[in-house]
Amino acid sequence: MSLRLNLSALTRGVLINRPRLWKSFTTRSSQDGSGDPPNAGSASGGGSTVNIPSRKIVTPLPPLSEPVENLQEVQYATVTPEQNTTHVTTLSNGLRVASESRFGQFCTIGVVIDSGARYEVAYPKGVSHFLEKLAFQSTENYPDKDNILKELERHGGICDCQSSRDTFIYAASVDSRGLESITRILADVVLRPSLQMDEIDIARQTILFELESLKMRPEQDLILTDMIHAAAYRENTLGFPKLCPEPNASVIDRNTLLSYLKLHHTPSRMVVAGVGVPHDDLVRYVEKYFVDTPATWETENTKTRGPSAADTSLALYTGGSKLEECEIPIYAAAGLPELAHVVIGLEGCSHRDPDFIPACVLNIMMGGGGSFSAGGPGKGMYTRLYTNVLNRFHWMYSATAFNHAYNDTGLFCIHASAPPSHVRGMVEVLTKELVTMATAPGEQELRRAKTQLQSMLLMNLEARPVVFEDIGRQVLSTGHRKRPEDFIREIEQIRSEDIMRFAKRLLSSKAAVAARGEIKGIPNIDDIQSGLGNGEGRLPNSKRLSLFR
């Protein structure tokens, strides 16, 4: 049985009844109790396509467009004055204890010491490098380093030791309930190390392997940092190498290390800092383990040799050059060419200097990085070394500004790399950029650099270990901690005149140059110094640089 449709009759019926059908379609019954207007939720009777919102209740929850009734007022967490205070206590033997409370279950505790490579004038260079490798080994109360690691593991902790040219840091992060245990470990590691012969031999082998591996790596940052400091502070303080020279590895022994520790790991040169710990508890434990118990070199009858007092010399900036002609390994997988590396430095300022904040802003403004860096303004893509160097000269593979600030001096420098055939051009580009620093920065450029510096400061201080290091270094240097808000305010007050004044101060100093790789075409330091004194930054007998060479 089939169903037959009379399409002609159906069409005729629709046309005849069209007005009635349309009225039925656009009319809504108001008997559903919704209280909506007749045309709510559908096209209006006039044929408009604009819908009228429905007021039909579809959920018992209150609408988001109206305030919620009987809701308690929100109570936001506030920072108390106690949380913004760094407590500092000086003990009877001159040891300083500094701490700051911080929310969280874990804490960071450590010892910051006025020690490092700059104080090795009367010792074989590399003592600090050895001590860094010997950290958290066996001690008087922990005969095996595994005992230390098990105790740290029991409290969910980690430990670390880092040395710089003027500071030595031992630190650990643990559960706050392990405060006494970790304070005892730190006291033993700093004051009562065993320094067994097999441990020293292992440290020696580790250092030799590290020195060998550095020569096999394309990255040259560590080696060039030592070289530029050696050029800038020739044969004094900060010019001494941080990395142990290979011939000295066999010379440094237990007596040498104990002699150095006796003069430099003294209470007056130390700060025990803690973040996230009660200050009174920290002081009590420090007195128990750092003050009441003597150090190894006070109880052992060892034959120590060396000076009778720690070196107090101020850093003397000399300028000069340190060049090394050699082959540098290449990035085989990346297909990059062999690169020559050049660093040009100028005398900067210490972190106590009034120009320290302008120096930091200028460093951010110069910025830089590698030619393969990815990212936007936050990655430094709008800094001068990107816009004026990496984006213009295709043969430049990297250009980065550094600002090294110490207690009594500073070093502002630019590190760049390019193929050996462009060594002279690279030096000319860097010289021109250093001279250009003395020109007035644009308003937007200055604003961007200040904002980026403020952002970096605050983001770094969100990490507890960074706060610990900040407290320890500041208290060691000045006796108190300067709050981040103070730095933010000082950064905000920097004007273009401050940047120009500091840049001119930089250019008035002697140049320091370090270079490594195939550098046969590098200009001599007198030509570089002449270019820095030239208003246009042009070296003698230099040609106009081509963007397409």
Side-chain angles (χ1 to χ4, degrees):
M1 179 179 179
S2 61
L3 179 63
R4 297 182 178 179
L5 295 177
N6 191 336
L7 295 178
S8 176
L10 181 61
T11 304
R12 187 166 53 252
V14 170
L15 293 175
I16 294 173
N17 297 302
R18 183 174 59 178
R20 182 171 59 83
L21 291 172
W22 179 253
K23 182 177 181 181
S24 175
F25 175 75
T26 57
T27 303
R28 308 284 289 180
S29 173
S30 60
Q31 296 179 0
D32 57 2
S34 66
D36 289 344
N39 297 323
S42 63
S44 63
S48 172
T49 59
V50 178
N51 292 334
I52 300 175
S54 173
R55 282 185 275 178
K56 183 187 296 185
I57 298 176
V58 295
T59 175
L61 299 176
L64 297 177
S65 58
E66 299 176 6
V68 180
E69 297 181 359
N70 302 321
L71 185 66
Q72 292 184 351
E73 187 175 351
V74 178
Q75 296 289 333
Y76 295 100
T78 56
V79 179
T80 63
E82 175 69 18
Q83 293 172 312
N84 263 341
T85 303
T86 302
H87 300 278
V88 181
T89 301
T90 303
L91 304 183
S92 57
N93 62 350
L95 177 63
R96 285 164 287 182
V97 182
S99 72
E100 190 171 302
S101 63
R102 197 175 182 92
F103 175 79
Q105 182 180 351
F106 283 79
C107 64
T108 298
I109 316 157
V111 185
V112 183
I113 309 173
D114 185 14
S115 173
R118 70 172 295 171
Y119 299 106
E120 297 176 4
V121 60
Y123 299 90
K125 308 302 180 287
V127 170
S128 298
H129 198 178
F130 262 83
L131 292 175
E132 183 179 348
K133 301 303 178 186
L134 289 165
F136 293 97
Q137 300 291 325
S138 62
T139 67
E140 183 179 309
N141 293 305
Y142 298 91
D144 194 293
K145 70 174 183 179
D146 289 342
N147 301 130
I148 295 177
L149 298 179
K150 287 178 181 178
E151 187 69 15
L152 284 168
E153 185 179 350
R154 192 164 70 88
H155 297 288
I158 57 174
C159 62
D160 189 23
C161 175
Q162 295 180 357
S163 67
S164 63
R165 299 185 184 280
D166 61 348
T167 312
F168 217 99
I169 299 176
Y170 299 85
S173 293
V174 297
D175 188 291
S176 300
R177 292 167 290 187
L179 175 59
E180 181 176 6
S181 177
I182 194 58
T183 305
R184 184 188 183 194
I185 289 175
L186 286 170
D188 253 41
V189 168
V190 175
L191 299 176
R192 290 173 284 278
S194 298
L195 299 179
Q196 298 176 6
M197 296 305 297
D198 59 334
E199 294 174 342
I200 296 176
D201 287 338
I202 292 174
R204 182 177 294 110
Q205 294 173 26
T206 303
I207 289 172
L208 290 173
F209 175 78
E210 186 176 306
L211 295 175
E212 184 179 357
S213 64
L214 281 175
K215 297 177 182 178
M216 299 170 61
R217 291 163 51 186
E219 299 88 356
Q220 300 292 302
D221 294 347
L222 289 176
I223 298 176
L224 283 164
T225 301
D226 261 8
M227 291 178 65
I228 190 64
H229 279 82
Y233 304 93
R234 187 170 295 276
E235 300 298 331
N236 77 93
T237 58
L238 296 169
F240 298 147
K242 180 179 178 293
L243 300 171
C244 177
E246 191 170 336
N248 289 1
S250 59
V251 176
I252 297 173
D253 57 13
R254 189 173 189 272
N255 287 335
T256 304
L257 297 174
L258 285 175
S259 174
Y260 182 87
L261 291 171
K262 182 178 181 180
L263 297 180
H264 297 86
H265 283 212
T266 58
S268 60
R269 301 173 71 92
M270 293 184 189
V271 171
V272 179
V275 179
V277 298
H279 184 71
D280 294 338
D281 292 347
L282 181 60
V283 170
R284 184 169 69 254
Y285 297 140
V286 170
E287 286 182 332
K288 181 179 179 180
Y289 297 112
F290 279 83
V291 179
D292 298 340
T293 309
T296 296
W297 41 89
E298 295 176 357
T299 57
E300 282 192 17
N301 293 322
T302 57
K303 295 181 180 180
T304 58
R305 57 179 180 270
S308 58
D311 179 44
T312 58
S313 303
L314 294 178
L316 175 64
Y317 183 88
T318 60
S321 63
K322 190 169 182 64
L323 312 178
E324 183 179 353
E325 182 81 26
C326 63
E327 288 189 11
I328 295 180
I330 63 174
Y331 293 91
L336 295 179
E338 180 181 351
L339 300 176
H341 298 262
V342 174
V343 185
I344 300 180
L346 299 167
E347 184 180 11
C349 64
S350 74
H351 52 71
R352 294 181 174 187
D353 196 286
D355 281 335
F356 174 62
I357 300 299
C360 293
V361 176
L362 177 60
N363 181 48
I364 295 294
M365 190 180 300
M366 297 300 291
S371 58
F372 293 98
S373 299
K379 294 287 187 178
M381 302 293 275
Y382 283 88
T383 58
R384 288 189 179 183
L385 291 180
Y386 258 108
T387 56
N388 298 342
V389 178
L390 295 174
N391 288 351
R392 295 186 63 195
F393 302 99
H394 68 90
W395 40 267
M396 291 284 288
Y397 279 80
S398 70
T400 309
F402 294 96
N403 179 38
H404 304 276
Y406 302 99
N407 213 30
D408 52 354
T409 185
L411 181 62
F412 192 97
C413 54
I414 299 179
H415 170 204
S417 61
S421 58
H422 292 280
V423 168
R424 181 177 178 86
M426 174 168 52
V427 172
E428 292 177 353
V429 169
L430 296 187
T431 304
K432 187 176 188 306
E433 286 306 310
L434 287 169
V435 171
T436 308
M437 292 191 306
T439 60
E443 182 178 350
Q444 186 180 29
E445 180 186 30
L446 180 60
R447 176 70 268 167
R448 184 186 293 116
K450 289 160 60 174
T451 302
Q452 189 174 350
L453 179 59
Q454 292 170 334
S455 174
M456 290 172 59
L457 172 67
L458 295 177
M459 285 191 293
N460 285 332
L461 289 175
E462 289 181 1
R464 188 178 57 252
V466 176
V467 177
F468 149 76
E469 186 174 343
D470 183 49
I471 293 173
R473 285 181 178 274
Q474 288 202 49
V475 173
L476 183 66
S477 176
T478 65
H480 66 277
R481 187 197 181 202
K482 195 173 182 180
R483 301 297 308 173
E485 306 89 81
D486 298 328
F487 286 109
I488 296 296
R489 183 172 57 254
E490 292 182 16
I491 294 170
E492 194 62 35
Q493 293 173 351
I494 296 299
R495 301 172 301 170
S496 60
E497 292 81 3
D498 301 319
I499 303 296
M500 296 168 63
R501 184 190 69 252
F502 178 70
K504 291 177 181 177
R505 173 180 169 181
L506 288 174
L507 294 171
S508 65
S509 68
K510 294 181 179 179
V513 180
R516 196 166 190 270
E518 291 191 19
I519 51 173
K520 295 178 182 177
I522 189 171
N524 63 56
I525 191 168
D526 292 331
D527 288 347
I528 295 174
Q529 189 71 59
S530 176
L532 291 172
N534 186 318
E536 297 181 356
R538 293 176 64 87
L539 272 61
N541 303 319
S542 64
K543 300 178 181 179
R544 185 177 180 84
L545 287 172
S546 171
L547 303 181
F548 306 103
R549 282 195 298 161

